Amino acid sequence: MAKFYAVKVGKTPGIYLTWDECKDNVNGFPGALYKSFKTVEEAEAYAGVKFDKEKLKKVENEDPANEKSKDKSEVNSISLSGKSACYAFVDGSFNVATNIYGYGGFLVVDNEKFIVQGSGDDEELAAMRNVDGEIEGSAAAVKLAIEKGVKELDIYYDYMGIEMWATGAWKRNKKGTVAYYEYMQSIKDKIKLNFIKVKGHSGIEGNEEADKLAKEAAGIT
């Protein structure tokens, strides 16, 4: 089955048949928006452009065996493999010179992007270094999503604690982790969360942007 890579915001918005083509149009482009779809109709609706039907005939005749390698490439590169149309990338950082922790990332709702960013210098929380930024960023994205009326959200993260403390899989023995767990449990009836782990500093556009925003929030240039 063919897969269509739709670029809504990028160097050249359009619909592409391979991840390599899509990647060329979004890598290094600020605020790029892109996603894969199983049908050309969904891709056209997302990108707001029409797809060349001649290319469609070609892709329909492709060897299905190539799909597994394309799927793996997509997950490793952009990891937009979640269940919801609304998603967020979050990350945390810590400034050792000032003892300020920061978080950064963005939320995408109905193809509209909202920046999530903040920092703090609470002495007890700062002892957790970037970890507090990680979990505060996740909580901030969820809070904003609820304010926007989102009922299901995919959270892309590179630090396992974001998921493990939210679900209770890890024990909480610090002020920050206890508060994070309690908040995530308190909103379970308001929004469904899907946690998706990505590899940090691996060229994933959303993760790289979240990392940059977190460092900026912590005062790291």
Side-chain angles (χ1 to χ4, degrees), residues 9-196:
V9 178
K11 298 174 184 175
T12 307
I15 300 170
Y16 301 91
L17 305 182
T18 69
W19 163 239
D20 286 339
E21 290 179 297
C22 176
K23 182 179 178 182
D24 288 342
N25 280 281
V26 298
N27 269 12
F29 191 92
L33 291 177
Y34 47 97
K35 196 171 184 181
S36 67
F37 296 91
K38 292 182 179 179
T39 69
V40 68
E41 289 79 14
E42 292 175 312
E44 287 178 334
Y46 175 78
V49 299
K50 288 294 183 180
F51 184 64
D52 186 336
K53 300 304 180 182
E54 290 303 313
K55 290 184 179 180
L56 179 58
K57 291 179 182 179
K58 178 182 178 182
V59 77
E60 286 176 340
N61 293 324
E62 284 184 343
D63 183 355
N66 291 331
E67 279 304 302
K68 289 185 178 180
S69 62
K70 285 198 291 183
D71 285 349
K72 182 178 180 182
S73 173
E74 179 193 5
V75 171
N76 287 342
S77 300
I78 58 175
S79 294
L80 291 179
S81 54
K83 300 177 181 179
S84 173
C86 301
Y87 62 93
F89 275 89
V90 296
D91 207 350
S93 188
F94 181 70
N95 190 327
V96 296
T98 61
N99 278 346
I100 291 178
Y101 48 87
Y103 64 83
F106 59 89
L107 170 72
V108 175
V109 180
D110 295 329
N111 301 324
E112 187 174 0
K113 188 175 183 179
F114 304 91
I115 298 299
V116 177
Q117 201 173 34
S119 62
D121 59 359
D122 180 282
E123 186 175 349
E124 187 174 350
L125 297 179
M128 298 172 63
R129 298 173 70 87
N130 67 296
V131 171
D132 189 75
E134 301 276 1
I135 58 180
E136 285 202 26
S138 174
V142 171
K143 181 179 179 180
L144 180 57
I146 292 174
E147 291 175 357
K148 298 293 182 183
V150 174
K151 298 302 181 182
E152 184 171 5
L153 177 70
D154 295 335
I155 300 179
Y156 294 88
Y157 65 91
D158 62 16
Y159 177 68
M160 189 62 74
I162 284 179
E163 177 176 359
M164 296 297 103
W165 281 316
T167 60
W170 283 4
K171 292 182 179 180
R172 289 79 57 199
N173 56 8
K174 294 184 181 297
K175 174 182 175 180
T177 56
V178 170
Y180 177 60
Y181 170 76
E182 291 179 348
Y183 173 72
M184 287 303 202
Q185 293 301 304
S186 73
I187 49 82
K188 288 176 67 175
D189 62 335
K190 298 179 181 179
I191 188 170
K192 179 182 178 182
L193 302 177
N194 306 310
F195 293 96
I196 304 167

